[in-house]
Amino acid sequence: MALVDTGAFLRDLKELRQIGKFKTGVHRPTYSPQDMESRHWLMGKLAECGLEASMDGIGNVFGRHQGSGPHVLSGSHIESQNEAGWLDGALGVVGALALARAGLPVDVCAFADEEGHFSIGFPGSRSIIGDLPETEIDGAKDRTTGTPMRDALAAAGLAGVPRMGLEEGRYKGFFEMHIEQGTQLERAGLRIGVVTGIVAIWQFRIVIEGQQDHAGGTTMAERRDAGLAAVRLLAAVDAAFPLLCGERTVWTTGRFRLEPDAPSIIPGRAEVLFQFRDIEMPVLERLHAALKSLVQESNRRERCTARLEAIRLDTPALCDPAMMTALEGAAEALAPGVWTKMPSGAGHDAQIISQKLPVVMLFVPSIGGISHHWAEDTKEEDLALGASVLGEGVRRFLAR
Amino acid sequence: MALVDTGAFLRDLKELRQIGKFKTGVHRPTYSPQDMESRHWLMGKLAECGLEASMDGIGNVFGRHQGSGPHVLSGSHIESQNEAGWLDGALGVVGALALARAGLPVDVCAFADEEGHFSIGFPGSRSIIGDLPETEIDGAKDRTTGTPMRDALAAAGLAGVPRMGLEEGRYKGFFEMHIEQGTQLERAGLRIGVVTGIVAIWQFRIVIEGQQDHAGGTTMAERRDAGLAAVRLLAAVDAAFPLLCGERTVWTTGRFRLEPDAPSIIPGRAEVLFQFRDIEMPVLERLHAALKSLVQESNRRERCTARLEAIRLDTPALCDPAMMTALEGAAEALAPGVWTKMPSGAGHDAQIISQKLPVVMLFVPSIGGISHHWAEDTKEEDLALGASVLGEGVRRFLAR
């Protein structure tokens, strides 16, 4: 049953870890010399495993299986955040390589810039599904250095190189292995997460305007306290959302700023950043309606004006039930009792690919939940188990 | 009955307005050439009115009545905030001068640095009641320029000049006229406020510690959201305080900061600056006890730790009932139906002097409530009425 050569898998991972090494992590920003070195390293590995390796005009590295299908697609991204962890996307790429090494009919892809160095959002996976216009590339800049994406592509030797698209009808689905980037598995003593979907983020800005006044000279009856109105609104959300949410919905107030932010001045303005996440559209819509009602109610009740602005209203990406069933069976076979189904709270290339193909993801635990930091890590036995479950899951899915 | 020469009073005010003129206001920071010019101008005016004028080692300008008592003390401060209004403290100083001009047995004082340029709090009035150690002066610096207070005093010619104290037993009380610095009089169509006391400010910092986490990867059940705990605590305050407060209590959350203040990160820390003000000690103590209970309740209920730190717990300065009665009688005689009793929400020299003498204050309206800004103003007829009510009040108080 153990199709995957976990020894080779771990050796590959550790080899890749040396490219752009930073402390115990890596520094491989998109199109940097280190990133390009890792892409060329991957092409060599793909060829070694008998795949036809190529890199396209957006930097996507692709390994095409030479045998007959039906095929699956698997992969993730290979660049890292600045001074970040060694696993993250690299895990899913090397996991896909392990599938190829096991002789499974898999095409391997390392999508470019999932980490968003160029701030246009998933250029690699969007390009491969045909959803990245040239004009977006023209306008993109590195958010750290300001370098235009066109210049970065040229410096990486990718100017004028054609971009590839997914071959219609070739794939039964897309598998992506990733670290959890949270602590749910670790806290529950679990080793594998079968992902049910990638949650949508609905992000809002709530601006409340009142009247700035002296905290000594203005009676409570006269006040138009924007901060107090914001507290009341958020307390109302705190009371209402638990009655309306789904099983795994989360909601977060990440910012609560008062102006002028002084001890003896009644705030004239409050700015709140509020978001909720869920994988079910009806839940998202129900919470949005409730939020709008609570803001309306605030405007009826308070002497301040609250304005609700939607910043992003994503679509959730649900994982494919048959692919989940295959991974669940593999998990129960290889890790009985220590796996769970869970949504992904963070974004991944799989949510883009899900627009064209059935997708599924598999999570392994993150030690201490650390992510996007060079200290990110996962136990070696969990990495190996993840690769084995992935391999067995792909086998089961293809064998249906 | 109209003892006060309101024409001379307004002329004096307008003369003083020319010293350090800034737009329609003045710029007379403590011990600046403009401030010292205004102090010397005042000494000349005091002498003109037959008072023995002097300036002491902290810059207090004093005019001593040459006749027999019983005496009252009256005045305020003459320096201004930076680029601020022409009235503020100057009104109470020139009002006291008008009492002297009317032949009332009054000593006039312009206390130094009520505006707190040197950040040690009321040095002039504290010095005159014997509550300002030399070491405090040694350590004080101008909060705008960083100049040591000793250097500023020396530059103003006050190095080595002795500081004066109030003559024991000389005064029946202290009268201070001031602008309201709020809009209560204006909004109610009133022209005179008889001050019942100067509120105490009880200022607190509430620090709530939770656990910073990813807003996507952490379930609601796992979270230790410091911001949410702060919202719940402030909502509880909002519910409890109206049941416990006094008639004119005010409470204000001026600051509400989350860390790290990012849309997709659960706040690990919240810092709240919360204060309440009242003139009654039992009310202040009751609210403090309630706040402590609510913080305890938060620590029982939440998975975060809230810590309450008292930053200041002032003592309220109550105005003298007999002095209030005198001013009320004067107000009803000269401004029937358009005066009220009210607390002062801001601090004044009178609260310092109240430690030694009975005090009372009289407010005139501030147009639009503007204060500590060059646009600060009061209608000329309200200024004149204020001086007349002050004069009649002092006459009535002395005649008891």
Side-chain angles (χ1 to χ4, degrees), chain B residues 2-280:
Chain B
L3 286 164
V4 165
D5 179 347
T6 55
F9 164 72
L10 291 171
R11 276 194 301 278
D12 286 345
L13 264 182
K14 288 173 187 172
E15 242 181 81
L16 180 52
R17 186 181 200 171
Q18 299 309 312
I19 303 177
K21 187 172 170 60
F22 177 83
K23 298 190 180 177
T24 64
V26 297
H27 178 67
R28 293 197 301 257
T30 310
Y31 310 137
S32 65
Q34 300 87 335
D35 176 44
M36 295 311 292
E37 184 184 342
S38 74
R39 291 181 193 277
H40 287 287
W41 171 88
L42 177 62
M43 288 174 72
K45 287 287 172 183
L46 292 169
E48 232 179 59
C49 297
L51 274 63
E52 183 194 13
S54 62
M55 189 174 349
D56 82 348
I58 198 75
N60 285 339
V61 173
F62 202 82
R64 186 180 169 92
H65 181 251
Q66 298 299 296
S68 60
H71 289 93
V72 297
L73 181 67
S74 185
S76 187
H77 60 96
I78 200 163
E79 84 283 338
S80 74
Q81 290 279 358
N82 294 323
E83 305 179 357
W86 69 295
L87 297 168
D88 205 301
L91 177 66
V93 170
V94 176
L97 182 66
L99 300 176
R101 195 187 295 282
L104 287 161
V106 60
D107 288 358
V108 174
C109 196
F111 303 109
D113 201 35
E114 190 268 355
E115 294 292 6
H117 288 277
F118 287 89
S119 302
I120 53 173
F122 304 99
S125 45
R126 283 171 57 210
S127 177
I128 212 167
I129 67 162
D131 185 31
L132 183 68
E134 294 290 332
T135 49
E136 258 197 76
I137 303 174
D138 294 343
K141 287 193 161 73
D142 187 304
R143 63 180 151 85
T144 307
T145 64
T147 308
M149 193 168 187
R150 288 291 183 202
D151 295 358
L153 285 166
L158 297 173
V161 176
R163 293 194 275 140
M164 68 166 295
L166 288 179
E167 183 186 313
E168 200 80 29
R170 180 171 166 89
Y171 305 107
K172 291 189 67 182
F174 171 70
F175 285 85
E176 183 173 5
M177 174 160 59
H178 207 279
I179 55 167
E180 181 199 344
Q181 305 177 278
T183 58
Q184 293 178 52
L185 292 175
E186 184 180 80
R187 289 188 201 185
L190 301 174
R191 299 179 62 196
I192 294 287
V194 176
V195 176
T196 54
I198 298 161
V199 301
I201 302 177
W202 286 27
Q203 177 74 54
F204 302 87
R205 178 182 291 111
I206 306 170
V207 175
I208 302 186
E209 306 273 0
Q211 173 67 45
Q212 181 177 322
D213 264 315
H214 190 285
T218 317
T219 62
M220 297 308 280
E222 287 171 321
R223 292 176 180 219
R224 297 174 54 218
D225 183 334
L228 182 56
V231 163
R232 287 174 179 167
L233 176 60
L234 291 176
V237 167
D238 182 39
F241 269 41
L243 308 176
L244 300 168
C245 67
E247 202 184 340
R248 297 295 283 269
T249 316
V250 289
W251 57 97
T252 308
T253 300
R255 172 171 296 168
F256 189 123
R257 287 187 184 168
L258 300 182
E259 286 177 21
D261 187 41
S264 284
I265 304 180
I266 299 164
R269 186 174 189 277
E271 183 191 339
V272 168
L273 290 182
F274 177 76
Q275 65 167 229
F276 47 84
R277 302 181 184 215
D278 201 86
I279 57 165
E280 289 184 40

Side-chain angles (χ1 to χ4, degrees), chain A residues 188-329:
Chain A
L190 300 174
R191 299 180 63 195
I192 293 286
V194 176
V195 177
T196 53
I198 298 161
V199 301
I201 302 177
W202 287 26
Q203 177 72 55
F204 302 88
R205 178 183 290 111
I206 305 171
V207 175
I208 303 188
E209 306 273 358
Q211 173 69 44
Q212 182 176 322
D213 263 314
H214 190 285
T218 315
T219 61
M220 298 308 280
E222 286 171 323
R223 293 176 180 220
R224 297 176 53 218
D225 184 334
L228 182 56
V231 164
R232 288 174 178 166
L233 176 59
L234 292 176
V237 167
D238 182 39
F241 269 44
L243 308 176
L244 300 168
C245 66
E247 202 183 339
R248 296 296 283 266
T249 316
V250 289
W251 56 98
T252 308
T253 299
R255 172 171 295 168
F256 189 124
R257 287 186 184 171
L258 299 182
E259 286 177 22
D261 187 42
S264 286
I265 303 181
I266 299 163
R269 187 173 188 277
E271 184 189 338
V272 169
L273 290 183
F274 176 77
Q275 65 167 228
F276 46 85
R277 302 181 185 215
D278 201 86
I279 57 165
E280 289 185 40
M281 208 64 184
V283 171
L284 293 162
E285 285 166 350
R286 194 161 72 221
L287 295 177
H288 190 191
L291 183 61
K292 283 196 271 195
S293 294
L294 290 171
V295 168
Q296 277 171 19
E297 171 59 15
S298 171
N299 285 331
R300 274 192 292 269
R301 194 182 52 219
E302 305 289 343
R303 290 189 297 271
C304 298
T305 309
R307 200 172 66 247
L308 180 69
E309 296 168 31
I311 294 173
R312 59 188 278 194
L313 303 175
D314 295 348
T315 303
L318 295 182
C319 289
D320 178 68
M323 296 175 82
M324 285 172 58
T325 300
L327 283 182
E328 289 163 28

Side-chain angles (χ1 to χ4, degrees), chain A residues 49-364:
Chain A
C49 297
L51 274 63
E52 181 193 15
S54 61
M55 188 173 351
D56 82 346
I58 198 75
N60 285 338
V61 173
F62 202 82
R64 187 179 168 92
H65 180 252
Q66 299 298 296
S68 61
H71 288 93
V72 297
L73 181 67
S74 186
S76 188
H77 61 96
I78 200 162
E79 84 282 338
S80 75
Q81 290 279 356
N82 294 322
E83 303 178 359
W86 69 294
L87 296 167
D88 205 301
L91 176 65
V93 170
V94 176
L97 182 65
L99 300 176
R101 195 185 296 281
L104 286 162
V106 61
D107 288 358
V108 175
C109 194
F111 303 110
D113 201 34
E114 190 268 354
E115 293 293 6
H117 288 275
F118 287 89
S119 299
I120 52 174
F122 304 99
S125 44
R126 283 172 57 211
S127 177
I128 212 167
I129 67 161
D131 184 32
L132 183 69
E134 294 290 332
T135 50
E136 258 196 77
I137 303 174
D138 295 341
K141 288 192 162 71
D142 187 304
R143 64 182 151 82
T144 307
T145 64
T147 307
M149 192 168 187
R150 287 291 183 204
D151 295 358
L153 284 165
L158 297 173
V161 176
R163 291 194 275 139
M164 69 166 294
L166 288 180
E167 183 185 313
E168 201 80 28
R170 179 170 168 89
Y171 305 107
K172 290 189 67 183
F174 171 70
F175 285 84
E176 182 173 5
M177 174 158 58
H178 207 279
I179 54 167
E180 181 199 345
Q181 304 177 279
T183 57
Q184 291 178 54
L185 292 175
E186 184 181 81
R187 289 189 202 185
L190 300 174
R191 299 180 63 195
I192 293 286
V194 176
V195 177
T196 53
I198 298 161
V199 301
I201 302 177
W202 287 26
Q203 177 72 55
F204 302 88
R205 178 183 290 111
I206 305 171
V207 175
I208 303 188
E209 306 273 358
Q211 173 69 44
Q212 182 176 322
D213 263 314
H214 190 285
T218 315
T219 61
M220 298 308 280
E222 286 171 323
R223 293 176 180 220
R224 297 176 53 218
D225 184 334
L228 182 56
V231 164
R232 288 174 178 166
L233 176 59
L234 292 176
V237 167
D238 182 39
F241 269 44
L243 308 176
L244 300 168
C245 66
E247 202 183 339
R248 296 296 283 266
T249 316
V250 289
W251 56 98
T252 308
T253 299
R255 172 171 295 168
F256 189 124
R257 287 186 184 171
L258 299 182
E259 286 177 22
D261 187 42
S264 286
I265 303 181
I266 299 163
R269 187 173 188 277
E271 184 189 338
V272 169
L273 290 183
F274 176 77
Q275 65 167 228
F276 46 85
R277 302 181 185 215
D278 201 86
I279 57 165
E280 289 185 40
M281 208 64 184
V283 171
L284 293 162
E285 285 166 350
R286 194 161 72 221
L287 295 177
H288 190 191
L291 183 61
K292 283 196 271 195
S293 294
L294 290 171
V295 168
Q296 277 171 19
E297 171 59 15
S298 171
N299 285 331
R300 274 192 292 269
R301 194 182 52 219
E302 305 289 343
R303 290 189 297 271
C304 298
T305 309
R307 200 172 66 247
L308 180 69
E309 296 168 31
I311 294 173
R312 59 188 278 194
L313 303 175
D314 295 348
T315 303
L318 295 182
C319 289
D320 178 68
M323 296 175 82
M324 285 172 58
T325 300
L327 283 182
E328 289 163 28
E332 187 56 28
L334 299 174
V338 289
W339 64 276
T340 188
K341 295 203 284 183
M342 63 191 297
S344 168
H348 295 290
D349 286 309
Q351 78 197 59
I352 304 298
I353 302 301
S354 74
Q355 294 173 44
K356 290 283 175 182
L357 296 178
V359 303
V360 76
M361 291 189 72
L362 182 148
F363 279 171
V364 294

